[in-house]
Amino acid sequence: MDLSTPTPTDGSGISAGPAVQPPVADDTGRGRRRPTVSVIIPAMNEAKNLPFVASRMPAGIDQIVFVDGNSTDDTVAVARELWPDAVFVTQTRSGKGNALACGFAAATEDIIVMIDADGSTDPAEIPYFVEALVGGADLAKGSRFVGRGGSSDITGLRNVGNKGLNGLVNLIFRTKFSDLCYGYNAFWRKHVPLIELPPTEYQRAQWGDGFEIETVINVRLATAGLVIEEVGSFEGPRIHGRSNLNAYSDGMRVLRTIGQEWTHWRATKHIRRESARADVRELTQ
């Protein structure tokens, strides 16, 4: 796998990056190997956008997990034609969070990358996220506000709201996020249990099933003490169709999520403290 980035064709101004082939130790300790990559693509009625997403995908991705949200158009048929070797999953409930949870459960490779199916997140940037993880990060957090990042889609209202939510999370959890709500992220698959997503087999709607999933992932991995590196990413416009985002309602949902995560973090603090004490006692005995 070369994970090389193709020349941009969407006018985003992103320059082609180098192939990412850093070696890492294998599980047996014998020799060295590259990390493998699963790309999770949640989609609902995105048939017209998928060819663009496929055209930007780096060569040699080890696994594509395509999660269908019960589409009523030709989304699945188009995806099967574009990625015949992909793993195809139908999400068990509704919402982006549930779709990602189903994708995480089906992923088998070392690294999980989350992208959108509407063309707004550029798959050609995947090597930069992999590079950050191999360089020592646990979570490679996409940001439109650092490095090569930018956006041709974010509105003034969304920008102000994002900054406000960023500031609140950074104040409460002592983090340094610059783009809390951007959904282009990558992390090591071994960290999935730390996110504590609701089981996919539950039939009723669960907290974390919706667009709040990005906030849940970012906050829970941050409060677990993992190393986070922000990666500059350019957000393009949705190519076809209308976005499901609503600046006000989704902003209020993220605000509620921050409150929920603060309560969750405080409630589990003593558990983490007792676990650490137990580890220390075990080491000193």
Side-chain angles (χ1 to χ4, degrees):
M1 176 179 68
D2 59 17
L3 283 180
S4 57
T5 48
T7 302
T9 58
D10 61 352
S12 66
I14 304 169
S15 60
V20 178
Q21 298 180 345
V24 296
D26 66 15
D27 296 333
T28 65
R30 298 192 301 270
R32 296 170 73 80
R33 66 175 178 85
R34 61 170 176 81
T36 54
V37 179
S38 292
V39 178
I40 313 298
I41 310 176
M44 184 173 70
N45 298 331
E46 300 285 6
K48 293 182 178 180
N49 294 322
L50 294 179
F52 174 81
V53 175
S55 74
R56 302 292 292 164
M57 192 70 67
I61 293 295
D62 300 277
Q63 181 189 46
I64 289 177
V65 180
F66 191 88
V67 187
D68 177 52
N70 295 290
S71 298
T72 56
D73 66 359
D74 294 329
T75 290
V76 175
V78 171
R80 287 188 181 279
E81 183 175 350
L82 293 169
W83 298 293
D85 296 325
V87 175
F88 287 86
V89 178
T90 300
Q91 68 179 100
T92 55
R93 296 186 293 273
S94 63
K96 183 178 182 180
N98 172 248
L100 286 173
C102 292
F104 296 165
T108 58
E109 308 305 323
D110 301 322
I111 289 171
I112 287 177
V113 182
M114 305 157 41
I115 65 171
D116 292 334
D118 61 5
S120 61
T121 54
D122 188 0
E125 295 177 345
I126 289 175
Y128 299 120
F129 288 80
V130 173
E131 183 178 29
L133 293 174
V134 173
D138 295 301
L139 167 65
K141 173 75 187 78
S143 174
R144 295 163 289 186
F145 305 112
V146 301
R148 67 180 68 84
S151 176
S152 61
D153 189 54
I154 192 169
T155 64
L157 178 60
R158 284 174 57 204
N159 192 21
V160 170
N162 190 50
K163 287 182 178 178
L165 295 169
N166 264 325
L168 182 59
V169 164
N170 289 340
L171 177 65
I172 292 176
F173 298 105
R174 299 180 181 179
T175 52
K176 296 180 180 179
F177 291 120
S178 67
D179 200 0
L180 176 72
C181 300
Y182 190 45
Y184 199 164
N185 300 315
F187 55 90
W188 296 98
R189 184 170 61 89
K190 64 184 179 182
H191 296 318
V192 168
L194 296 175
I195 306 173
E196 299 180 6
L197 294 178
T200 56
E201 61 267 23
Y202 289 176
Q203 295 184 347
R204 293 184 179 180
Q206 302 291 314
W207 183 252
D209 279 356
F211 281 111
E212 71 275 9
I213 185 63
E214 282 99 358
T215 303
V216 170
I217 290 174
N218 296 331
V219 169
R220 291 191 179 176
L221 293 184
T223 54
L226 300 188
V227 176
I228 299 173
E229 180 177 338
E230 292 195 322
V231 176
S233 174
F234 191 93
E235 176 190 39
R238 164 181 277 274
I239 302 171
H240 298 284
R242 179 178 296 179
S243 173
N244 293 319
L245 292 172
N246 181 288
Y248 177 77
S249 62
D250 290 332
M252 293 303 295
R253 191 172 182 91
V254 171
L255 186 61
R256 181 185 169 201
T257 302
I258 294 170
Q260 293 270 12
E261 290 307 304
W262 171 246
T263 301
H264 175 271
W265 182 64
R266 286 177 61 87
T268 58
K269 222 175 178 182
H270 72 282
I271 298 176
R272 294 193 300 272
R273 187 181 299 118
E274 288 303 317
S275 177
R277 289 174 178 171
D279 290 342
V280 170
R281 285 196 297 269
E282 184 176 346
L283 289 172
T284 56
Q285 285 178 351

